[in-house]
Amino acid sequence: MAPNIAIIGAGPTGLTAAIELKRRGIIPTIFEARNCLGGQWAYEVLTDEPVDVRDPQSQSVYSAMYPKLWANLPKRAMQISDYKLPEDLQLFPGRVDVLDYIDATAREAGIQPLIEFNTPVKHVAKAGDGWRVSTEGTEKIFTHVIVATGKDSYPNIPKIEGLDSFEGPVTHSQSYRLPNLYEGKRVVLIGACVSSEDISLDLSPHAEQVYICGTFPPNGHKCYVRDGLYGEGLNISQHARPERIEGRKVYLQNGEVLHNVDDIILCTGYIYNFPFLKGSLDDIELSGCSMGPLYLNMFYPPDPTLIFLGLPRFTVHFANIHLQSIYCAKILSGELDLPPANEINREITNGGCVLQKNPANLEEYHNSVFESFTRLSDMTGEPDLDWRTFLNTLNDHKRQYQQNYRLHPFTYDLKE
């Protein structure tokens, strides 16, 4: 009997999984909480009122897109399955171009009719040999559930002494939208990687001062280290991590004090969280920044009919979900078989789950991620492209051009 599969989430991850399943004659049901597909790439309009992370009544935010956001990877790294991005797109496409591409791919692949929009999943629980998926007022049983809700939905809120009593707004980069809301203000960005770099440059023409406070180089990314003042307004500077906050003063770990701070934006990433699986994941660790073990970073070991896609961080996301989706589709269609349970348990005992490694040690983390790329390529017969060298070359490009690397040509021939 053909498997009956639920996919939770209609972003690029869920779309890629659905494409590969449909190619093998398996028609999934896709549950999407919003009225549109695209996941993070589907822009969400917010009010001008700050979404303060300290307010338990603050609204949930689905998308971290802001109007001027561009992809930080070249379009070659943004491809869904074998559907190429339009040739006339700029090298680093803007958010609207990426969303248009996602929408066009879903239409061309015939995936849109499979999506149940405005249908957030409330709970997923084991039911006999299958899984009961509960939405508002409905319950359906599926043989398999693929969780494709992503890794960037629930903000990571750091524990900093005095943060709760800061006298201005404390928001997360997830809800950042318009730089003019920070006109003439002194803004502290906590966190020193991709989002703080991009948001600081967006703020620079408007804010009085922009302070990036974090660990440098962040996760080994030397391409984000800057000396002196920079940005369009020559008002961005990099500083040590915060130690404590008093009133509108931010005390840093190196003894420096930032005075008269108006706003704090947390650029501190996200945690793993799946509220609809509460009570169903008792056999694995889910501590926020780490998760697992999962076999091949995907399969829930006690019951591999529950599958997670797209969870590794600091990687080439579209390439990762491409390989994962093909492998899952081959397993679910019977083209390939999972190893026996004792082999799965032996492997996860040996620490093969990337999601349990510390992303702060980026070299070790990358080694694990790209080893999994090679392994999935071997098992699926897909080309083993050299994404690691691609990323290293891109980081060199970012280091060379720093503030405007997206405006300069970047060429790299991906090799097997």
Side-chain angles (χ1 to χ4, degrees):
M1 186 176 72
N4 178 27
I5 299 171
I7 298 176
I8 305 175
T13 304
L15 173 58
T16 305
I19 287 172
E20 297 304 333
L21 289 170
K22 187 170 178 284
R23 281 179 170 162
R24 292 162 176 81
I26 301 172
I27 308 301
T29 299
I30 306 170
F31 295 98
E32 171 54 48
R34 300 173 68 187
N35 63 357
C36 58
L37 56 76
Q40 285 287 338
W41 291 97
Y43 181 76
E44 178 184 9
V45 177
L46 301 178
T47 67
D48 289 349
E49 289 297 315
V51 181
D52 198 304
V53 298
R54 299 166 298 179
D55 180 4
Q57 303 303 317
S58 64
Q59 68 185 98
S60 298
V61 178
Y62 287 105
S63 170
M65 294 292 112
Y66 56 90
K68 292 184 179 180
L69 185 140
W70 293 12
N72 63 0
L73 293 176
K75 60 185 178 182
R76 176 61 184 86
M78 305 293 292
Q79 183 172 307
I80 294 174
S81 189
D82 53 1
Y83 293 85
K84 293 184 178 180
L85 280 81
E87 291 292 334
D88 59 350
L89 287 189
Q90 58 193 0
L91 180 61
F92 293 87
R95 62 170 184 84
V96 174
D97 292 327
V98 176
L99 183 60
D100 286 346
Y101 161 72
I102 293 170
D103 187 66
T105 299
R107 288 198 308 272
E108 186 176 347
I111 303 301
Q112 281 192 325
L114 311 181
I115 305 173
E116 296 189 9
F117 291 105
N118 296 309
T119 310
V121 170
K122 301 296 185 182
H123 195 233
V124 174
K126 196 64 184 168
D129 292 333
W131 295 90
R132 180 184 295 106
V133 176
S134 303
T135 61
E136 194 67 51
T138 67
E139 291 185 350
K140 296 179 182 179
I141 303 295
F142 295 89
T143 59
H144 298 73
V145 171
I146 296 176
V147 179
T149 52
K151 60 188 183 302
D152 299 328
S153 296
Y154 294 89
N156 175 35
I157 311 301
K159 294 181 179 179
I160 301 173
E161 181 183 344
L163 183 65
D164 285 344
S165 59
F166 175 66
E167 294 177 358
V170 179
T171 61
H172 190 273
S173 58
Q174 185 186 50
S175 60
Y176 174 80
R177 292 297 183 269
L178 300 173
N180 59 291
L181 300 180
Y182 299 86
E183 199 74 45
K185 294 187 175 182
R186 300 164 67 86
V187 186
V188 165
L189 307 184
I190 297 178
C193 206
V194 181
S195 58
S196 62
E197 174 73 2
D198 285 349
I199 289 174
S200 65
L201 293 171
D202 199 42
L203 285 171
S204 183
H206 299 270
E208 178 184 336
Q209 294 290 327
V210 181
Y211 306 102
I212 300 178
C213 299
T215 300
F216 292 95
N219 292 326
H221 283 299
K222 295 180 181 178
C223 56
Y224 294 115
V225 178
R226 308 282 185 265
D227 293 322
L229 295 172
Y230 64 100
E232 187 175 330
L234 288 178
N235 55 356
I236 306 174
S237 52
Q238 297 184 341
H239 304 265
R241 295 176 63 182
E243 182 174 85
R244 72 182 191 279
I245 297 169
E246 294 179 5
R248 292 175 58 195
K249 295 179 183 179
V250 178
Y251 292 80
L252 308 181
Q253 292 182 351
N254 64 351
E256 183 184 5
V257 182
L258 305 178
H259 296 270
N260 300 317
V261 173
D262 296 300
D263 287 77
I264 292 176
I265 302 176
L266 303 176
C267 301
T268 46
Y270 299 84
I271 62 172
Y272 293 115
N273 190 23
F274 307 95
F276 52 84
L277 283 167
K278 187 175 182 180
S280 299
L281 292 179
D282 295 334
D283 300 283
I284 65 173
E285 174 193 6
L286 184 59
S287 62
C289 293
S290 63
M291 178 179 176
L294 298 177
Y295 176 63
L296 296 177
N297 305 304
M298 293 183 278
F299 295 90
Y300 177 53
D303 188 342
T305 57
L306 177 62
I307 305 164
F308 297 82
L309 297 183
L311 297 187
R313 304 185 186 278
F314 304 110
T315 182
V316 183
H317 180 68
F318 282 72
N320 176 53
I321 60 177
H322 172 70
L323 290 170
Q324 286 188 334
S325 295
I326 290 176
Y327 182 73
C328 285
K330 289 193 171 190
I331 292 293
L332 298 180
S333 66
E335 295 176 53
L336 296 174
D337 294 317
L338 284 174
N342 63 324
E343 290 187 25
I344 290 176
N345 290 333
R346 182 165 58 249
E347 176 167 328
I348 64 177
T349 300
N350 291 336
C353 180
V354 173
L355 310 178
Q356 290 186 297
K357 298 189 181 301
N358 183 5
N361 186 340
L362 200 62
E363 184 173 1
E364 178 189 357
Y365 192 87
H366 272 168
N367 286 340
S368 298
V369 168
F370 293 117
E371 283 170 9
S372 71
F373 275 34
T374 296
R375 188 173 178 193
L376 287 172
S377 296
D378 290 343
M379 291 189 292
T380 59
E382 291 294 305
D384 183 16
L385 300 178
D386 189 3
W387 287 109
R388 175 158 193 164
T389 303
F390 174 90
L391 276 188
N392 289 338
T393 306
L394 177 61
N395 283 335
D396 289 341
H397 176 78
K398 290 180 177 180
R399 191 157 41 242
Q400 181 179 359
Y401 295 107
Q402 295 202 339
Q403 297 180 48
N404 56 0
Y405 68 89
R406 294 178 176 92
L407 301 179
H408 293 267
F410 172 77
T411 57
Y412 182 78
D413 183 21
L414 275 169
K415 300 176 181 178
E416 294 187 42

